């Protein structure tokens, strides 16, 4: 009773208040099962050991509870050994729990050995193995296990189908299971229908996914999330946004995942105004939501709005930015020419939030400085931070050299790039263009000639207009 209410202290008080001679296997099993149900696995293990020290033999329920906990692998193996020693190896329920335990620890081979020795396999036994194969991407063993299960006349349930669909990567399998669940009525189970929607969406058949969704009643939030993300995945953002609007009119409340999908849809649908509306309607915003709206602003050149959004996130003081946040912000500042804001954000990332700047961050800063014409500062940053081996950083500066006609620095950058990209015609072409823009026609011609000697050919352009 106390464990169902989450009241561990009172449960302990009742347990400790009972005399030792009164504590029996049922008493200990209640404590162990209750502690495991609340995720207090270490305490459950101590109670299991105390039970043995009290000379009480563990029962089937004892092993079921302990094996279903998330203890470390060595402890689980020890418990499994005690299970065998106690004579429960032939007990189907306990063996099922042992198989699930080993699968959770990535020991599929051990689970297989238990399964093979098990004389009486039930639906849970087969589902456990099928799930284990599916989680490890082993499609054919999962399908073979399903066929063997069918051959002994054990009917699949929603967990069987759900596991099989997660690893089925071809139309034939998914369509076969679609027909099967129609035949046995499992299509009426939400978990099965949701799995089919996700599977068809991943395979690019959004039409079939939407048909299944339309026929569902009642729909749950997972159903809505699956079809909305399916439209986004298959390049139909407007339809996804339409389904999101229908969800808002229903009596089902969207969660953070739903709203994050909607924000992504708004960005891909060139509907940033809708993205703002979705974001503002969120009761709780996580870092994914903030990053999505900041990235959307960055994508559409709204650098000031991206910075404003970041300031709002700081003022709200509920979510800490991550490295992806700063990458999106620096990119937004770069494209909008917000040099001061970009430098301040970069310094804040390092000094205030303690992040170590990565290559992506430095590339954005170099691009920011380069676009604004601060080429010497960008060069100094590269040399000071020892970024001379990363091509992305050099390309950011190389493009700025071309935009501002800096021949001296352009030649230096080209030299670094040619050390790793000698056969890249873009390096030669861009350097030649820099010289040509400066009126240095002879140098431009020499670089073109160098291309021929090295054997680098510029890929000719193509046109869709045929003569």
């Amino acid at each position: 009773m106390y464990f169902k209410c989450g009241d561990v202290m009172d449960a302990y008080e009742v347990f400790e208040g009972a005399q030792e001679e009164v504590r029996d296997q049922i008493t200990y099993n209640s404590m162990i099962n209750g502690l495991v149900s609340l995720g207090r696995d270490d305490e459950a293990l101590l109670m299991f050991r105390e039970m043995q020290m009290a000379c009480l033999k563990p029962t089937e329920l004892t092993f079921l509870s302990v094996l279903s906990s998330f203890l470390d692998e060595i402890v689980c193996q020890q418990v499994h050994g005690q299970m065998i020693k106690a004579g429960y190896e032939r007990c189907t329920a306990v063996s099922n729990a042992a198989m699930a335990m080993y699968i959770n620890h990535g020991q599929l081979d051990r689970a297989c050995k238990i399964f093979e020795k098990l004389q009486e396999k039930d639906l849970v036994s087969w589902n456990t193995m099928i799930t284990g194969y599916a989680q490890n991407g082993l499609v054919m063993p999962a399908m073979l296990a399903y066929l063997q299960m069918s051959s002994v006349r054990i009917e699949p349930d929603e967990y069987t189908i759900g596991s099989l669909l997660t690893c089925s990567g071809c139309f034939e399998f998914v369509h076969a299971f679609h027909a099967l669940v129609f035949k046995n009525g499992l299509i009426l189970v939400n978990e099965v229908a949701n799995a089919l929607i996700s599977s068809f969406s991943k395979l690019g058949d959004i039409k079939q996914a939407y048909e299944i969704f339309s026929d569902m009643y009642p729909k749950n939030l997972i159903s809505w999330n699956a079809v909305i993300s399916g439209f986004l995945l298959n390049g139909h953002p407007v339809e996804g946004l339409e389904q999101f609007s229908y969800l808002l009119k229903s009596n089902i409340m969207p969660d953070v995942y739903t709203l994050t999908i909607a924000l992504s849809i708004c960005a891909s649908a060139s509907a940033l105004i809708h993205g703002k509306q979705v974001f503002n309607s969120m009761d709780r915003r996580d870092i994914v939501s903030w990053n999505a709206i900041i990235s959307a602003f960055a994508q559409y050149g709204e650098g000031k709005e991206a910075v404003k959004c970041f300031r709002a996130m700081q003022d709200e003081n509920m979510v800490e930015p991550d490295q992806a946040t700063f990458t999106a912000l620096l990119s937004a500042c770069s494209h909008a020419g917000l040099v001061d804001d970009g430098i301040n954000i970069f310094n804040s990332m390092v000094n205030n939030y303690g992040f170590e700047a990565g290559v992506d961050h430095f590339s954005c800063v170099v691009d920011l400085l380069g676009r604004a014409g601060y080429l010497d500062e960008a060069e100094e940053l590269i040399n000071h931070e020892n970024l001379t081996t990363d091509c992305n950083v050099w390309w950011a500066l190389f493009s700025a050299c071309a935009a501002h006609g800096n021949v001296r620095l352009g030649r230096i950058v080209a030299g670094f790039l040619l050390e790793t990209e000698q056969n890249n015609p873009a390096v030669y072409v861009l350097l030649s263009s820099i010289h040509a823009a400066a009126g240095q026609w002879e140098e431009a011609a020499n670089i073109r000639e160098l291309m021929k000697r090295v054997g680098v050919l510029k890929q000719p352009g193509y046109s869709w207009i045929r003569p």
Side-chain angles (χ1 to χ4, degrees):
M1 177 183 72
Y2 288 115
F3 282 116
K4 289 182 180 179
C5 299
D7 195 343
V8 180
M9 297 306 297
D10 282 348
Y12 266 115
E13 188 175 337
V14 172
F15 177 80
E16 297 294 342
Q19 297 179 356
E20 290 189 13
E21 58 269 18
V22 177
R23 298 175 193 166
D24 57 8
Q25 292 164 313
I26 297 175
T27 310
Y28 277 98
N29 283 346
S30 298
M31 287 297 297
I32 294 170
N33 185 58
L35 290 168
V36 170
S37 68
L38 295 176
R40 304 177 77 137
D41 300 327
D42 292 333
E43 295 175 52
L45 180 61
L46 291 174
M47 190 64 64
F48 173 64
R49 289 171 177 168
E50 184 179 325
M51 176 183 183
Q52 293 173 304
M53 291 174 63
C55 298
L56 293 173
K57 184 179 179 181
T59 67
E60 176 183 335
L61 179 58
T62 315
F63 285 112
L64 281 174
S65 299
V66 177
L67 288 171
S68 63
S69 63
F70 291 94
L71 297 169
D72 65 72
E73 187 176 340
I74 295 176
V75 174
C76 287
Q77 290 176 3
Q78 293 172 348
V79 174
H80 182 214
Q82 293 183 39
M83 179 202 91
I84 296 172
K85 187 177 179 180
Y88 286 103
E89 189 174 16
R90 293 185 178 181
C91 177
T92 302
V94 177
S95 290
N96 291 343
M99 287 189 292
M101 173 197 72
Y102 281 119
I103 289 172
N104 289 334
H105 283 289
Q107 298 288 334
L108 183 60
D109 54 337
R110 288 179 177 268
C112 289
K113 290 178 182 179
I114 297 173
F115 182 76
E116 291 167 0
K117 292 180 180 179
L118 190 59
Q119 294 181 353
E120 296 184 10
K121 302 177 178 69
D122 60 7
L123 178 59
V124 177
S125 312
W126 289 101
N127 280 350
T128 302
M129 287 310 304
I130 291 171
T131 300
Y133 288 130
Q135 288 176 352
N136 287 273
L138 301 173
V139 180
M140 293 314 297
M143 295 299 176
L144 181 59
Y146 165 71
L147 293 174
Q148 291 173 339
M149 182 184 82
S150 300
S151 69
V152 295
R153 299 182 182 279
I154 294 181
E155 290 293 322
D157 64 1
E158 61 267 29
Y159 301 105
T160 320
I161 302 300
S163 295
L164 289 167
L165 286 172
T166 60
C167 69
S168 301
C170 66
F171 276 109
E172 289 76 11
F173 283 142
V174 176
H175 278 289
F177 287 122
H178 188 199
L180 173 66
V181 297
F182 257 106
K183 181 180 178 181
N184 61 17
L186 284 175
I187 190 64
L188 299 176
V189 179
N190 271 6
E191 289 77 10
V192 174
N194 293 339
L196 281 169
I197 293 170
S198 296
S199 295
F200 279 119
S201 296
K202 291 175 183 176
L203 291 171
D205 194 349
I206 188 61
K207 181 179 179 180
Q208 183 65 69
Y210 182 65
E211 287 183 8
I212 296 171
F213 174 78
S214 299
D215 292 338
M216 286 182 67
Y217 185 81
K219 301 174 178 67
N220 59 22
L221 183 57
I222 297 174
S223 316
W224 286 99
N225 285 348
V227 77
I228 293 170
S229 62
F231 277 118
L232 175 61
L233 180 66
N234 286 274
H236 301 286
V238 175
E239 288 82 353
L241 199 60
E242 183 181 12
Q243 293 304 314
F244 176 71
S245 67
Y246 292 150
L247 169 62
L248 294 178
K249 296 176 183 177
S250 71
N251 59 355
I252 299 176
M253 291 295 295
D255 61 6
V256 172
Y257 178 67
T258 321
L259 296 168
T260 301
I261 300 171
L263 285 172
S264 300
I265 288 177
C266 290
S268 62
S270 299
L272 192 55
I273 187 171
H274 293 295
K276 294 178 185 178
Q277 292 171 352
V278 171
F279 183 79
N280 291 332
S281 69
M282 297 174 71
D283 293 326
R284 185 172 61 86
R285 302 163 182 145
D286 63 1
I287 187 59
V288 177
S289 311
W290 285 103
N291 286 352
I293 191 66
I294 290 172
S295 298
F297 284 130
Q299 181 180 347
Y300 291 102
E302 298 283 350
K304 291 183 178 180
E305 288 295 324
V307 174
K308 182 179 178 182
C309 192
F310 175 63
R311 302 301 182 206
M313 182 177 75
Q314 289 179 309
D315 293 339
E316 193 171 282
N317 201 29
M318 296 291 290
V319 177
E320 288 289 311
D322 59 13
Q323 292 194 336
T325 315
F326 289 106
T327 301
L329 280 166
L330 292 171
S331 176
C333 291
S334 173
H335 288 88
L338 304 176
V339 179
D340 291 339
D341 285 325
I343 297 301
N344 289 334
I345 287 170
F346 179 84
N347 290 333
S348 175
M349 177 186 75
V350 176
N351 299 325
N352 298 339
Y353 292 97
F355 287 114
E356 182 178 348
V359 172
D360 289 342
H361 302 121
F362 280 116
S363 295
C364 289
V365 174
V366 169
D367 188 49
L368 171 68
L369 294 171
R371 285 173 182 260
Y374 297 104
L375 300 180
D376 292 337
E377 288 80 358
E379 180 186 15
E380 182 181 349
L381 176 64
I382 293 174
N383 293 328
H384 182 267
E385 297 295 337
N386 195 25
L387 300 170
T388 55
T389 58
D390 190 270
C391 292
N392 292 328
V393 177
W394 282 123
W395 272 110
L397 184 56
F398 200 23
S399 299
C401 290
H404 294 280
N406 192 317
V407 178
R408 179 197 67 82
L409 189 54
R411 289 178 63 89
I412 295 173
V413 174
F416 280 111
L417 287 172
L418 288 175
E419 290 179 4
T420 55
E421 302 185 32
Q422 186 177 1
N423 296 320
N424 187 348
V427 181
Y428 298 92
V429 172
L430 192 55
L431 181 59
S432 175
S433 299
I434 292 174
H435 280 292
Q440 300 175 356
W441 303 106
E442 185 176 349
E443 288 291 337
N446 290 339
I447 294 170
R448 295 279 184 173
E449 185 62 31
L450 178 62
M451 284 182 65
K452 295 179 182 179
R453 290 202 307 269
V454 177
V456 178
L457 297 177
K458 179 180 179 294
Q459 189 72 20
Y462 291 94
S463 173
W464 287 106
I465 302 175
R466 301 179 63 180

